[in-house]
Each structure stands twice: as C-alpha cells, then as structure tokens.
Amino acid sequence: MKHYTKILLSSCMAGLLPVLAHAQSDTSQEEVFELSPFVVDTSADGYRAEQASTGTLIAMDIREVPMDVTVIDESLFEDTGVLNADDLGLLVASISQDETPNTNGGGGNTRYNLRGFRSVPRRNGFAPGGRLYDLTGVQRVEVIKGPNSVLYGQTDPGGIINYVPKRPLFNSRNSMALTAGTNGHRRIKIDSTGPIGDSGRFAYRLPLSYREYGREFDFFDWERFVVAPSFLARFGRSTEIVVEGEYIRQNVNLADMGPYQEVVDGMRIWDFDRRGLGRDFNRRGPFTESINRQKNITAELTTEITEGVTVRAMWTYNERDTTVNNILVDNVNPRFLRPTPLANRAQYVRPRNEIEGYKIDLLWEKTIFGIESKTVFGMERNHNVFETIQYRSFKSGNDRFIVGPIPNPLNGDEVVPEAWAPSYELWGMDLLDLPAEELAKHQLFRDRANQSLWHNYRVTETMYLMDNRLILLGGIAKGEVERTALYNETDKERGETEKSDDVVYTAGATFKASPKVNIFANTSTSFIPVYRTGLDGTPLDPQSGIGYELGLKLNLLDETLFATVTYFDLTNEGREQLVPAEDSPTNEAYWQNAGEQQANGVEVELTWNVTRQLEVFASFITFSGEITKDVNENLIGRPLQKSPETAAQLTVNYKFAQDSALKGLRLGGLISYKGKAYQNPTNQLGLVSDSYAVVNLFGRYRLPWGKEWDIFFNARNIFDKDYIAEGGGYGFPRQIDFGTSIRF
C-alpha cells in the first residue's frame, strides 16, 4: 500500500506544479477548462455515441478508430429495461451469456462470451479479477472487439468490455425513478450531481439504487443495493482529480436456474422436468443464500505538464467478500443421477477477492512535418489476492451442522419450507466465530489462497497523415505475470511462484475513402497466463491470441445513418485441458496445453435517425467457431461453447412530434435473437441451447406540468417465450413494469 501511495502522491505533486506556476493567473469562474484528451465527450445524439477511449486510451472519434467499436449509453439501458449487466447480450449481437444455471442464480462473477471467447469485463479500464457489475453508476459500456493486450495486459481474445462510470457535472441535475411490476419487481433509483460551493472547481455525483425481484423457482429472491459516489476537483486550466467509489450488496436465495441433465448412450441431454419434480422445484430450500459485499474506489489525476504533454495517473482498489450458506439435496443434483440414497449436506463457503492496481500514462501530442502525432507511454501494475474457506457437513451421527431430516421428493414426500427448518440453526452463527475445538469437529473441505502480480509496459502511436485522411495506429507492450500459491489446506505454506510473460502488438489503419466511407483494418495479439502445471510440474505456456479485422464505417443519408460492417478472424492457442488419470502415464490427472481454437464471421451494426421522430439501433453477427487442434482428436471440429452462430438485435424508438396530439409520448421496442449454442463441447456434447427471439416493449410519457416528470412502462419478454438461453439457464419470463421518474 505504501508503494502505491508514494506513486500516487508523486503524480499529484506533478499535477500541482503547473498550478503553482500559474498561481497569479486569473482563476475566475469564466476561465475555460480544457478537457483532458483522456476523457470522452459523453454527449450523444440519441443512441449514437461520437467518441470512445477504450481501444486507444485517448478519446477518439469512433469513425476514425481502426477497430470495431460498440458503445451502449445509459439511455439505451433505461429505455429497453435492461437493468442488469448480465443482460448486455440483449443489446449487442456479438455478446452472449457465459453464466451457468448455478451462477445465474447465485450471484457469480459477471462475464460474457464475445465473438466465441470468454470475456471478463472491466471497470474504469482496470481488470477486476472477477466481480459483479451494476448499471446504477455507469454512464456507458464500451466494447472493443478483438484481442488487444497492448493496452490492458492479459486480455481475452474476443475483445474488451469496459464499464465507464458516471462523472460529476457542474450543472445541477437530480433525478428519481420508482418502478414496480410483476414477479415481485421493485426498484428505486436516485441520481444527484452538481457543483460544491461557488468556486466552479468542485463537483459531486451520487447515484444509488435498490432493486429486488423473484423468479418462477420456489424460495428464490434477488435483491441488490448500490451506491456509487464520486467527487471532482479542478485546478488551473487542465488539472483534474476524480475520486469515484462503488459499494454493492447483493443477497440472493440460491436456485438451480436451468434444466437438469441426463446421460443417454454416453450423450448428455436436458431433463426439462427435473426428475419429475417440475421446473419450480428448488433443491436448495428457503435458507440457502449468497451474500455479496463489494467495494471499489478509484482515484484519477490528469494534468497538462506542458503544452502537448498530458499525464494521467490512476489507482484502484476492489474488494469482494462473499458468504454462501448452501444446503443441497444431492439426490436430485444433476451430477448425482441416482435417486438413492438420500444425501443431504450443508456447505459454508467464504471466498474473498482483493485487487489493487495503478496505471500511469503520458500522452505526447506534436506535429512534425505536417503530420499530427499522438504517442502514449504507459505502464500498469495489478496485485490480486484470492482466498476461500469452505466447510461441508455430511449426514453422520449427531453432528449439529447436518441438514435434516429432509423428506425425499422422489419418493413422493412433500417438501415444504418447514422441512428445511433445522438448517436455520446452522446459519444462526458464523462458522468462523466458533471456538477452535468446535470448528475442528466439522469437515474442512477447502482452505486456500493465491495471489497474482502482473505488469504491463506499453507504447502506442497514432498518426494523422494526408490531411487527416489516413490514420495509423500502432503499439507494442510487454506483459509479465507472477502467480504464487500463498497456502492451501494441506501444508499452509507458501508455494512456488509461476511466471510467464509475452510481447504483444497492435497495428491498424483507417482510410477516409470519401466523406461518407472509411475503410479500416487491424491486427492485434493477446495473451492470458495459464495457472496450471504440467506432468513434469512446470507451468504451462500462456494462451496466445491473434486477430484480424477488415471493415467499413459508413456515414450515409446526410449523416443520419452510421454503420459499421466488419469481417473478423480470431485464433487462440494454448487452452488448458485436464488429462484424466486413466489416460495418464503416471495414473495421475494432469494439465496440458490442448491446442487451438478459431473463429471468424461478419458483424454489422448501425444507428439510424430515420426521421426527427424515429430512431433505430441494430446489430447482427454471423459466426463460425471451432476447435481446430487438440491433443484429443475427438474434440477437433467441435464448435466453441455458448456462442450462437447467428444473433441479431433491433431497437426502435419513436417520439411523437410536438405539434401532435400525442406530444410528449415515446414508444419503442427491442427484438433480440440468439441462435442455438453448444454448452461445453469438451464434456457436455449434445447439450444445446434453444434459438429464441425475445421481444421487449417500452413507452414513456412526459406529463404536461412544467417539470421533467414522466410515467413509463417496460414489458420484457412480452410473449412469455419459454427457452434455454445460451448460458444454459431458463430465460427470464414475462416481466411487466410501470413507473414514474422526475428530474429537477
């Protein structure tokens, strides 16, 4: 911590030097503040965003970035009723769900598949090491497709999904929204921002929300509270400090949210009736819950050191603490297909994840021989510690931590909440608070911790040539990763450190063929360390990815229509795979680098202001991905997991004219389509999700009372489509919400 503090204080001092040097200059409220080149202009024309920074670190016109970029603004989330980060795939065709039926109901890490490969999102550009994401304090989500480890170190080959928090404003704005609907859905959201004092130097923002809802499963309930305060201070003409925080508390009564599985002739198939118990049966009972507590704080300083030279220093700390109190009826567990014997157990899990990191970037803007150049020198360091403690109890003797007796539902016994009642005493105390002699009576299943430390040293260059008709982008970086097992349940001793590193690059170009047509192309690489050891005990090689894109960015119909058409090709090598004991020369299971995966396809996205009243946002992808090389030849040719071959979404928003009798009314809809997807071709061959189309409707009416006072409705899955999503869980049922919002 002291190391980080010294760096942050040094950066702050560097930022204050130009302030002190200009202390005698006019600092009145009329002084124009120069927005940092690292900061994006978030003003948008409807659903269309003009700038993004995730792909280059500096704010750039999306039309000029030589990459496929998607930006989802807060207004689109609110209009379509997409209030949970897990549903981002409804709005972006190339994103699909990656959760399992268990993590869906248990509040697991937010993660996705992007162009066929797993993608763990980021906040403020920082890798979180696994966390929940919420949209309450988020201004926009930027999606940069393709591998790009130059800017962000270890990254996924499919691309980067970055959640950009809201920033304080110097204009006072306050809003409140209340929502209520079916499935027990309730939500309150408040957002307040404005100046602090009269100096024009300080501002704040305070978004917060509370939301809860239920599902069709017995005993299931989900609730979340979020607050995301931020503070902004400006000094001189270009020095800015932003401190932004987020606290999330989520309570979920766990449930298996997908069908069970059966094995028939060596193939896995869905058991939709769940052993005859029905879809609403919840084998976890009414007292099983997951409690997530997540805290994040980020501090950012930007300043222009001298003309054309801007520095940005950022520091972040993220902590996630989860308590899972779990009661299982194993005889209906998908992994235990036998109906007897009855095997009930209790489980207590306490995982904790802590990450601290910083990044420093220096931007040098200059013009040489008429060529505009922007060079970024940067580095990033992240320290991630993950630890978990887990206790299990099994039915034996008079052990007080045993669940039961629970009737056997497969024998026709009635399973009511009272059947789980004895388990409530189990969770009336924290196991960690028990005396050591009591704790020793119960089985310690897992107690371990590990840490990872990684650095990224990078330099990127953006050049504007031919009167800005040709934009070139290039970059190179070296990433270094160390992982150490701090202790495990066996020896409690520090393990050996596993190290890996790689040099990665990116290169791209955008050519303005005409005022309406930009042609772009790029290639980039990525690497992901593999935290496994092989048969000889040495660490496995890191995964390495390479991608290519070729596309068009079109600004047509008097600039009312902006479209991106992209062909992409991705290759990922080095995926780890477990060799079972029966196939091992030592009769012990071990890990190895398995082979190669490839994906290619075409992606289309557009925003179109058809008229002043009608706006359209749409995206489409056709995709082909498969395992092309593997040590297990039976896997070659199998498709990539949880990645539909075809997906599309269409959002339409119509605003009635001011001279119309229906002025103040907006109506719209969202149609999201996902094709079939394989669950896990390596060990779940035969399990395929459904192809489905979900239709959402929304409407908003501005009351004619002189205030920005609206009433609105959202209707999700209006036709109550019953389907298994690409993640393997049951799709969200019909949800009808009504609400009101006011701004003042």
Side-chain angles (χ1 to χ4, degrees), residues 41 66 123 141 240 244 288 300 304 393 454 612 631:
D41 180 3
R123 181 180 175 87
V141 178
E240 187 173 75
E244 183 264 336
T288 298
E300 174 184 351
E304 185 180 49
S393 290
W454 63 269
R612 295 182 63 181
V631 293

Side-chain angles (χ1 to χ4, degrees), residues 53-85:
S53 64
T54 300
T56 58
L57 291 183
I58 56 177
M60 282 187 65
D61 189 325
I62 290 177
R63 294 171 296 181
E64 298 180 348
V65 179
M67 302 174 185
D68 190 352
V69 180
T70 298
V71 177
I72 305 296
D73 188 75
E74 177 191 25
S75 61
L76 185 56
F77 287 121
E78 292 289 339
D79 279 351
T80 56
V82 174
L83 306 178
N84 195 327

Side-chain angles (χ1 to χ4, degrees), residues 437-456:
E437 60 273 14
E438 285 293 321
L439 193 59
K441 297 178 181 179
H442 311 289
Q443 180 180 3
L444 175 64
F445 180 72
R446 176 179 296 173
D447 183 8
R448 62 180 57 176
N450 58 63
Q451 71 172 6
S452 64
L453 176 66
W454 63 269
H455 298 81
N456 185 40

